[in-house]
Amino acid sequence: MIAAAIVIWTIVGGLALIVHRRQGNTGLVAAGKMGLAQGKGLAIRLPLAILAASFLIQVLPVDALVPYIGPQSGVMGIAIASVIGGLLPGGPMTSFPIALVILQGGAGLPQIVALISGWSIFALHRVLAYEAPIMGWRFAALRLTASLVLPLAAGLLAEALLAILP
């Protein structure tokens, strides 16, 4: 966690230097105002999203899911996990804790790779709220169809890698 924060702050510092060299203080002020505007929205939504994830983890039927996406569930479990991932609501602050709880509850590692990949690629809530209204249904359908096998492929590749690198 600290290493990730150091990397992010290093990137922020590097970008600030680049902006300052190109646009001076005007660029830094404009970037700061834009960041503050984005931060105001997140300051309201982020704590609620974390709290919603915490509540969801408490009521998630992990015991009921594990037989379907456990380590022995194979290709079918990877496919099921891909679909579950696509249905997970929210951003990374909710999805990763949910995936961790399911993993700790007994799901297979390749299945969780497929679940996170399904969430990253399909995310139904993002398709309905942003992608289709902005890009159009034709684009959304084309992208989803073209990406259909990616979570399954990621899960199968993870399974193959675990066989080589246990």
Side-chain angles (χ1 to χ4, degrees), residues 44-60 88-99 101:
I44 295 169
R45 290 182 290 194
L46 193 56
L48 293 175
I50 293 170
L51 193 57
S54 300
F55 287 137
L56 190 58
I57 288 168
Q58 297 301 316
V59 298
L60 197 65
L88 283 181
M93 295 303 280
T94 58
S95 299
F96 285 111
I98 291 170
V101 167

Side-chain angles (χ1 to χ4, degrees), residues 119-139:
W119 166 77
S120 298
I121 294 168
F122 299 132
L124 184 62
H125 67 284
R126 282 194 316 253
V127 171
L128 294 175
Y130 300 106
E131 185 174 354
I134 294 171
M135 302 298 291
W137 283 103
R138 185 171 189 267
F139 175 84

